[in-house]
Structure formats: C-alpha cells, structure tokens
Amino acid sequence: MGTLTSCSFSTVNLKLCSDLGKDFRDRTQLKKWKKQSSLCFLCKGGISKRAVFNFSKIRCFSANNNNNNHDSEKDVVDNGSDSENGDKFSNVKAASSEEKEERISNEFGSDKAQASVSSRPPPISPVGPAYNNFQVDSFKLMELLGPEKVDPADVKLIKDKLFGYSTFWVTKEESFGDLGEGILFLGNLRGNREDVFSKLLSRLAEATGDKYNLFMVEEPNSEAPDPRGGPRVSFGLLRKEVSEPGPTTLWQYVIALLLFLLTTGSSVELGIASQINRLPPEVVKYFTDPNAVEPPDMELLLPFVDSALPLAYGVLGILLFHEVGHILVAVPKKVKLSIPFCIPNITLGSFGAITQFKSIIPDRSTKVDISLAGPFAGAALSFSMFAVGLLLSSNPAAAGDLVQVPSMLFQGSLLLGLISRAILGYAALHASTVSIHPLVIAGWCGLTTTAFNLLPVGCLDGGRAIQGAFGKGALIGFGLTTYTLLGLGVLGGPLSLPWGIYVLICQRAPEKPCLNDVTEVGTWRKAAVVTAIFLVALTLLPVWDELAEELGIGLVSTF
C-alpha cells in the first residue's frame, strides 16, 4: 500500500519526468504502473474534476507503491505528445525548504498516513472544522436522544399559511428553545399584536392540527421598540410534546406521598416542641444542649402527641389552603397543576410545597393570578390563626391552653413582632417567657412559610409573580438581590441558609414562558405584586437588639 504525502497546486512550469526504470519503457508497462500506483486525492489520471486550474501549472505530490514505502515528490507532466517509444518519466528530487514541508504537512496531514489504492479518489474534506469519528457519533447520539425538532416541511407550510402582509412578515429564522429544537420567526408585525397572535393560533390549528405550540415572545437583542408601541415581537414554534410538561408518573406520586408523611411528622414534632415547658428534663436537654449525645427514650414523648395534634393540624391546614388557592384559580383558566410535593421542616413544620405547571400558561396575567392565589389563601388563614391566637392569649379563660415560649422568638419578624406587641402589650413581651395560645405558633409559622415562598426568585410563587408582572429581566435583578440578602442573613434569620440552599437545589430555574409572553398585566396586578413583596420583607426582617429594646419586643438582656 502506498503512502500519501501531500497534494497542492503551485505555479511551476511543467517538466518532463525522467526515466522510471527499465520496467516502464513501453506504453503498456506505463499504463500498468499508473493503474497500480496510488494517486493524489485531487487527481485521477492526473486531472481532478473538482479542481479548476491551468493544465500547464499543476504540481502533484504522490507516493510510490513499491514495497520500500519511501515517499517521493514528483512532477507529473502531460505534454500532449506521443512518441513512438512512449512517454518518458524521470524522478525529480524535491528541494523544498522546511517551511514548505511544514505547510504541506499541516494542510494534508502527516507524510506517513496510509492511503489505500482505489480507482476513485477519496472525497475532499469540506471547509470548516474537522471532526473525528467519536465526535461525529456523539453528535448523532445527542440528536437522537435530544428533543424532536420541527419538521422542515412544516416550517415551509407554516410560513405560507400563517405569515404574510396582513399578519407578520418574516425576515429571518433562528433556533428557539432550550436546545434549539424549535424555530423562531423574526420580522415585522403588521397589526395589533394580540389580534395577530389570535389569527396565527387559529391558522396554525387549521394547518397542522394539534402538533405545535406557537409562542409570542419579545424579539431577542432588539435595538428599538415596535413603532406601534411596546417591544418588538417574534414568534417561536415548538412541538407540543417538547414544549408541554409530561404527565405525573407513578414514582412521583410515591415520592409525594412519602414527603407528605414526613411533613406530617415534622408538624407533630413542632407541636411537641411548643410544649417545651412541660416536656421531661432529659428530653429538653437533648434538644437544647449541643453537647448531649445519647438520645432519650422517645416513649416519653407519647403523652404529648395528643396535645401536639391541634398545632400540627393548623400547619397542615395552612398548607392545604395554599394549594387549594392555586387550584381554584388554575382550573377556570384551563391550566393543569401537578400534585404538590411537600417540604418538611422541623422548625416551621413545613417549608410549603412544590407545585409544577403541567400545561403551558396562556398569558402573563394568568401566571400572576395563579402564583398569588396560593400564598394569599395561605396567608389569610395564617393571619386569622395568628390574630385569634393573640386574642386568646390575653383571655384569662384560655389560660389552661397556653404554652410558654421564649420572648426572643418574637424578634424573628419585624411585622409580626409589632402586631404581637400591640395586642399583648409591653409587659407581656418584655419578659423572658411569654404565654401564648398554640394558634399563635401555627399562624406565625404559616405566615413565615408564605413569606419564604413569596420571595422573588426562581420558580417560587414570588418569582413567578415577578416574572409575569415585570418580565424575566426584572426577575434576574430581584433574584440576585434576594440571594444576597439570604446569604447575609438579613432575611429569615437562622432559616435563611437552609432556605437558600433549598431554593438553589429545587427552585432556582425561572418558569417557562407563556404562549403570549409579551402582553403586559394590568396596573392593579403589578401593585398587588409590589405590595406582597413589601410585606414579605417586613415579615422576614428580624428585629435587631436596639430596636427590640426600644419597642419592648423581647427581653434583650437575657441573650
């Protein structure tokens, strides 16, 4: 097998080759040698069909095919004349410089690469980066395992049927979606965006049925707003099976059930911990002394389970109200929700629940409504429990149901601490312990959990509300600020770190865009979102010692 050295064109004059040896004196032997020798991949019989060149100026570096495997550089010349004794060829000694050899080696590979003899030349590599077989196989595997892309035939059909002078004039197409599985149509809007989008959805259903979803989004990297007002818009096309969330699986139902059982247990544990002044000393020491290693007999806690159930019911009831609020708003708007995945927490009983959208949200107003409905419902029940509990705490008739808690707990929230101070009075809170009704604890935990879920970050309820009301850009700014405040412990106190880790792991990604992700929400929805975020900050902002001493919230000297 011969060795392919290199091949290139250069402006040198054709030369007659010297004699190849006694074995190639006549034309018959010459043709036999040509047939068996390896040729340059640009040349077949000395001429390439793909190359355009001057016949008088071609230089070919080929390889001999003998058993010595020594590469040689030859000038192959066809002078168009036939002599009676046949063509004569001579070996021409290469006299190129080191730079020329390096250039030839870089362009056509190593001079030791083996080239198989073939009657047809190998194909020329296309212009661009070269990929090895492993990389090509990896690309094919990614394409096979990745989401199904839009059919090019459907793209042409959709452009013909949907877009035009009366709706949207397409000027450019780009990839769309997380992995570029869709098509983004860029161009010029020819009417009111809501009316155009409605027409496009109707035409899409007529042209392709239930195969694709069409999104109206802001044009990326737009330099100027739309002349009709508002941002410039583009239309993204994705397959339904790619853009819509999948159904809930059996394993997800099992996980949701296990998380609910764990949340029930953490809620009961909260109810037991609220009776700390009644618990056996060894149990209190184990839960409060960091040096305690040996756990106490858990059977000692059984008598306190019954009295802990009302508080546990309150925490679970608030969680249930939160989810029902989401459902009551989502069902009329034909938005499907997943089963809630409860998050247990021993401090608050629960960190709330993760509820996913199982269908695409039609518009931003719907996103805001569904996102705020759950927290507002949970907050309404929580505040009712909190207020009623404070009133019962100051009622002597309910003294038998009260529990003793450290007054420093009221410094965990500026808003709730001020409300407690206003109802219970200075004397009650300016002491080492405070007697309160268990409903106060349930309401406090519910309001704190609701506030955490309304933080404007990721796909929390607050993040979804900010994204729907002010756009994804505003969510990024709010999110960075929230992460900074949580990291510094400004919001949430000792719960800021576990909550921040939980959000980073489970809820950091923003919600996917709506079908109509351009039309803005009304003013009152924006005002509701801003008010909710303001109340969240007041709820999660702890009371510092100087202000606590001045307001009489807790006994600072006991710390």
Side-chain angles (χ1 to χ4, degrees):
M1 181 178 292
T3 303
L4 179 64
T5 304
S6 60
C7 181
S8 66
F9 298 104
S10 62
T11 57
V12 297
N13 297 326
L14 290 175
K15 301 176 182 179
L16 288 175
C17 298
S18 62
D19 190 2
L20 287 173
K22 296 180 180 181
D23 296 336
F24 302 99
R25 287 292 183 184
D26 53 44
R27 185 180 295 278
T28 302
Q29 290 175 329
L30 177 59
K31 290 182 179 180
K32 182 177 180 182
W33 173 82
K34 282 186 175 182
K35 186 175 182 180
Q36 294 178 352
S37 298
S38 64
L39 297 178
C40 162
F41 70 85
L42 284 176
C43 304
K44 181 179 180 182
I47 299 176
S48 170
K49 296 180 180 179
R50 300 174 66 97
V52 179
F53 52 82
N54 190 333
F55 282 98
S56 65
K57 297 180 180 181
I58 175 173
R59 190 175 187 182
C60 180
F61 301 93
S62 185
N64 62 16
N65 200 36
N66 57 21
N67 295 329
N68 295 331
N69 286 333
H70 294 300
D71 296 337
S72 64
E73 185 179 316
K74 306 186 187 82
D75 289 334
V76 180
V77 185
D78 187 357
N79 60 0
S81 63
D82 293 334
S83 62
E84 294 181 357
N85 296 330
D87 297 335
K88 295 184 178 181
F89 296 84
S90 63
N91 293 326
V92 180
K93 185 176 181 180
S96 58
S97 63
E98 293 182 1
E99 293 80 7
K100 187 174 182 180
E101 291 177 354
E102 183 178 355
R103 176 178 58 82
I104 294 172
S105 177
N106 290 337
E107 292 180 354
F108 298 97
S110 173
D111 60 353
K112 295 182 181 181
Q114 298 294 324
S116 59
V117 178
S118 175
S119 60
R120 190 173 71 179
I124 300 176
S125 300
V127 178
Y131 300 103
N132 56 37
N133 293 335
F134 175 77
Q135 290 173 316
V136 173
D137 292 340
S138 300
F139 296 152
K140 292 181 178 179
L141 180 61
M142 292 174 61
E143 185 176 359
L144 179 63
L145 298 179
E148 190 173 0
K149 296 186 176 181
V150 178
D151 191 347
D154 290 338
V155 174
K156 185 178 184 304
L157 174 65
I158 289 170
K159 288 179 64 178
D160 295 339
K161 296 292 184 180
L162 271 68
F163 303 111
Y165 285 107
S166 62
T167 55
F168 184 80
W169 184 254
V170 178
T171 59
K172 187 179 179 182
E173 298 175 18
E174 295 181 355
S175 59
F176 180 69
D178 296 335
L179 300 176
E181 65 274 20
I183 300 295
L184 181 66
F185 299 99
L186 294 89
N188 299 315
L189 193 65
R190 298 303 178 92
N192 179 270
R193 59 172 59 92
E194 286 77 18
D195 296 338
V196 169
F197 186 54
S198 178
K199 292 179 182 178
L200 295 180
L201 290 178
S202 177
R203 295 179 182 180
L204 179 64
E206 295 176 359
T208 62
D210 199 34
K211 189 176 181 180
Y212 293 103
N213 278 322
L214 187 67
F215 298 82
M216 182 169 68
V217 298
E218 294 187 16
E219 181 178 311
N221 304 320
S222 178
E223 298 180 355
D226 190 88
R228 293 176 176 82
R232 293 181 60 87
V233 300
S234 301
F235 295 93
L237 186 70
L238 288 172
R239 287 182 174 270
K240 277 189 174 291
E241 60 269 20
V242 173
S243 57
E244 294 185 355
T248 304
T249 63
L250 178 61
W251 278 110
Q252 289 176 324
Y253 282 108
V254 173
I255 293 174
L257 178 60
L258 293 176
L259 288 175
F260 176 75
L261 295 177
L262 291 175
T263 303
T264 303
S266 63
S267 301
V268 174
E269 187 272 340
L270 176 63
I272 296 176
S274 65
Q275 309 172 62
I276 191 170
N277 59 322
R278 303 176 184 174
L279 296 178
E282 56 269 27
V283 175
V284 175
K285 181 179 180 181
Y286 176 74
F287 286 107
T288 57
D289 187 1
N291 297 323
V293 178
E294 185 178 354
D297 187 3
M298 291 295 106
E299 292 183 358
L300 298 175
L301 298 178
L302 293 179
F304 302 93
V305 173
D306 291 340
S307 56
L309 291 179
L311 179 56
Y313 293 152
V315 172
L316 295 177
I318 294 171
L319 182 60
L320 177 63
F321 257 61
H322 184 114
E323 300 306 319
V324 170
H326 285 312
I327 295 173
L328 290 179
V329 178
V331 171
K333 297 180 180 294
K334 299 181 180 179
V335 176
K336 299 178 182 178
L337 300 177
S338 72
I339 185 173
F341 297 88
C342 303
I343 308 299
N345 180 263
I346 59 175
T347 304
L348 298 176
S350 172
F351 260 160
I354 299 176
T355 304
Q356 301 171 332
F357 289 112
K358 284 299 181 179
S359 61
I360 301 179
I361 307 173
D363 50 56
R364 290 166 58 175
S365 296
T366 302
K367 179 183 288 186
V368 173
D369 294 344
I370 297 176
S371 300
L372 292 182
F376 281 6
L381 180 60
S382 299
F383 188 78
S384 300
M385 290 183 176
F386 181 70
V388 172
L390 289 177
L391 295 176
L392 292 176
S393 300
S394 58
N395 187 359
D401 299 328
L402 304 184
V403 295
Q404 298 288 327
V405 297
S407 61
M408 61 179 295
L409 294 179
F410 290 89
Q411 299 178 13
S413 169
L414 176 60
L415 178 61
L416 302 184
L418 290 175
I419 296 175
S420 302
R421 165 70 173 79
I423 296 178
L424 297 180
Y426 176 85
L429 288 184
H430 200 68
S432 59
T433 60
V434 182
S435 298
I436 58 174
H437 195 275
L439 283 177
V440 176
I441 301 177
W444 185 295
C445 293
L447 289 171
T448 305
T449 301
T450 301
F452 272 121
N453 280 274
L454 271 176
L455 285 174
V457 60
C459 59
L460 295 175
D461 290 330
R464 291 169 175 171
I466 287 291
Q467 184 179 359
F470 302 102
K472 191 174 181 179
L475 176 61
I476 296 175
F478 275 98
L480 293 176
T481 303
T482 302
Y483 281 128
T484 302
L485 295 177
L486 288 175
L488 297 175
V490 176
L491 294 178
L495 291 175
S496 60
L497 181 59
W499 180 259
I501 295 175
Y502 156 69
V503 172
L504 284 173
I505 295 175
C506 302
Q507 304 268 58
R508 68 180 181 275
E511 193 61 52
K512 292 185 177 181
C514 311
L515 289 177
N516 180 358
D517 207 45
V518 177
T519 303
E520 295 187 357
V521 302
T523 304
W524 72 269
R525 285 188 173 89
K526 293 183 178 180
V529 173
V530 172
T531 302
I533 299 301
F534 178 72
L535 293 176
V536 165
L538 292 180
T539 302
L540 297 180
L541 186 65
V543 184
W544 53 96
D545 292 347
E546 293 78 5
L547 182 60
E549 180 67 24
E550 183 178 350
L551 297 177
I553 302 177
L555 189 61
V556 178
S557 60
T558 61
F559 306 151

